[in-house]
Amino acid sequence: MSVASPPISATRRPLITLDTDHKRIIWLLRTLGPTPRITIAQQLGMHNGALTRLTRELLMLDVVEERGQVLAGQRGRPSVPLALSGKAGYAAGATVHPGWLEIALVDFAGHIVTRDVMAFDSPDPNDFVHAVDQRLRVLATQSGLMRSRFLGLGVAVPGPAVQTGPSRRHTVDWLHGWREIDNDHFYEDYFGFPVWVENDATLAALAEYYDSGLIGECASALLLYLGHGVGGGVIHRRDVMRGEFGNAGDIGRLFRMAAPRPSGIDLLATLREAGADIHSLFDLEHHLDRHAEVVQAWAARAGEQLGFAANTGVAWLDPGAVILSGSLPRPVLEAVGQHLQPARWSSALDILRHPVVHVSRLGGSAVAVGAALLPIHQLGADGIG
């Protein structure tokens, strides 16, 4: 067990202070992008005087910025678009994979500042927080970020919430040391700044929703996540859906561990049975061409299995999008995605609208990016309209 070093910030600092109307403006700009003041006023039903005051306050906080110039023939400032500014602050996200630790920094506008990986294989959560603390110091300095602008840390945990104690999660076997942590206090007690803890697939859903642009196109989405295991996440009314017990989207329970299932571990086992000398998902890309038929057959089977889960979710929740994400190579995700197309989903009525199917651009980094987005997302979540 490592001896805890002094945290990156020894005192708790309040986040940016925003009222409900500030947050409504922020969420409108998150969904619409750069928008003229007159459109903001119309969309939110605000008087021009109130909007002028609110936007002046947001400009002073560096939460928003003006974009472009006044249009020709126009007088005054109403036609100058406002957009979210990354200068308001930044947040970090951290997660562990078998053999390495990943950290992402994201600014207030939702743009990725940097992503970082380092070797890490300890099951001790004390080693994890020590390593994250040290890397955050380095990354903040390298990226030229001010610690006074730090908005918080998101931590992604691979495992569902359980009833064995307050804020406990049943993490995967190789993180058995994390199972007795009180997640509501362990991280904040060490770091001294706000920390949010969430399931890894749920955070991947948040990252994909932002990165894909779906945040401006639909208010709900289902995520299917293929990593070493299989999981999922749900976006509902542009917010993360956690469920009654914190396990919304836990589709892994639909696929028995002893049977073939749509997971990275299952794909590795399938390739080994076919004669591949492969030891981890790191090596997967080197075997795609050599065992193309095996991978395609597995992708077809995995796609059919996930199609069942997706079709069930679509029937219950009627989402605007289904997102396929995970740490598997993009060609594998795309092959699986071919079997998730709406045409394959059963429906008694052919005239029903189907969600768009989106394959991730972030890949395995979606978890760390989503963890970094969570503090920023939560900062204005109660302003979602």
Side-chain angles (χ1 to χ4, degrees):
M1 179 181 297
S2 301
V3 177
S5 64
I8 194 171
S9 175
T11 59
R12 290 180 184 269
R13 182 184 60 79
L15 298 176
I16 299 171
T17 302
L18 301 171
D19 65 23
T20 300
D21 284 334
H22 289 138
K23 295 173 183 179
R24 292 176 66 208
I25 295 171
I26 289 169
W27 270 103
L28 186 72
L29 295 178
R30 285 209 189 281
T31 55
L32 297 184
T35 307
R37 288 171 173 82
I38 189 170
T39 303
I40 296 173
Q42 292 170 346
Q43 291 283 329
L44 299 181
M46 290 183 177
H47 293 295
N48 290 336
L51 181 64
T52 297
R53 174 183 59 81
L54 291 165
T55 55
R56 183 187 302 117
E57 293 167 351
L58 292 174
L59 285 164
M60 291 177 63
L61 290 170
D62 283 330
V63 169
V64 301
E65 61 188 15
E66 294 182 330
R67 295 278 182 87
Q69 302 294 324
V70 178
L71 299 178
Q74 298 290 324
R75 299 178 60 186
R77 305 297 291 172
S79 61
V80 178
L82 291 176
L84 294 180
S85 170
K87 298 177 183 178
Y90 69 100
T95 189
V96 284
H97 308 274
W100 83 98
L101 181 152
E102 183 175 7
I103 295 176
L105 300 182
V106 175
D107 69 22
F108 187 81
H111 301 135
I112 299 171
V113 177
T114 188
R115 286 178 285 188
D116 178 77
V117 296
M118 61 174 285
F120 183 85
D121 59 4
S122 172
D124 190 333
N126 292 282
D127 291 339
F128 171 76
V129 292
H130 176 78
V132 170
D133 180 41
Q134 295 301 308
R135 290 307 297 164
L136 282 181
R137 295 172 184 270
V138 173
L139 293 173
T141 300
Q142 290 178 344
S143 303
L145 299 170
M146 298 172 57
R147 292 185 183 179
S148 61
R149 293 280 185 167
F150 187 62
L151 301 176
L153 170 70
V155 175
V157 179
V162 294
Q163 295 179 343
T164 57
S167 191
R168 300 287 199 266
R169 288 188 175 271
H170 186 74
T171 53
V172 293
D173 289 342
W174 51 274
L175 288 179
H176 56 83
W178 296 38
R179 292 179 180 174
E180 296 305 314
I181 293 176
D182 179 346
N183 286 279
D184 282 345
H185 297 98
F186 176 80
Y187 299 100
E188 287 198 358
D189 287 348
Y190 176 86
F191 288 110
F193 52 64
V195 181
W196 287 261
V197 181
E198 189 54 79
N199 173 264
D200 55 354
T202 298
L203 292 175
L206 184 65
E208 300 291 358
Y209 187 60
Y210 272 67
D211 178 74
S212 63
L214 291 171
I215 190 171
E217 298 175 9
C218 58
S220 59
L222 298 179
L223 175 108
L224 309 171
Y225 191 83
L226 301 184
H228 283 77
V230 55
V234 183
I235 300 295
H236 178 63
R237 295 182 178 177
R238 291 195 168 89
D239 201 1
V240 172
M241 175 185 284
R242 293 178 172 84
E244 187 76 14
F245 305 110
N247 292 317
D250 181 22
I251 65 170
R253 69 179 70 182
L254 300 176
F255 308 103
R256 295 169 51 194
M257 295 294 294
R261 61 202 308 261
S263 71
I265 295 297
D266 184 84
L267 176 55
L268 291 180
T270 301
L271 286 167
R272 288 173 188 143
E273 290 177 3
D277 182 20
I278 184 170
H279 303 286
S280 73
L281 293 181
F282 283 119
D283 306 321
L284 192 52
E285 289 199 45
H286 302 299
H287 293 266
L288 295 183
D289 293 335
R290 195 177 312 166
H291 298 278
E293 292 185 3
V294 175
V295 173
Q296 287 296 325
W298 182 88
R301 188 255 292 168
E304 292 295 335
Q305 291 177 303
L306 290 172
F308 166 77
N311 198 22
T312 302
V314 168
W316 279 103
L317 299 174
D318 192 27
V322 172
I323 306 168
L324 181 62
S325 182
S327 56
L328 302 186
R330 185 174 175 85
V332 178
L333 291 179
E334 289 178 339
V336 174
Q338 292 299 315
H339 298 272
L340 289 176
Q341 297 304 316
R344 294 178 176 268
W345 299 344
S346 59
S347 173
L349 293 174
D350 292 335
I351 60 174
L352 294 181
R353 295 182 63 181
H354 292 295
V356 62
V357 175
H358 175 80
V359 178
S360 169
R361 299 181 303 182
L362 292 172
S365 293
V367 174
V369 172
L373 282 168
L374 186 60
I376 294 169
H377 177 84
Q378 291 298 115
L379 182 58
D382 56 353
I384 298 175

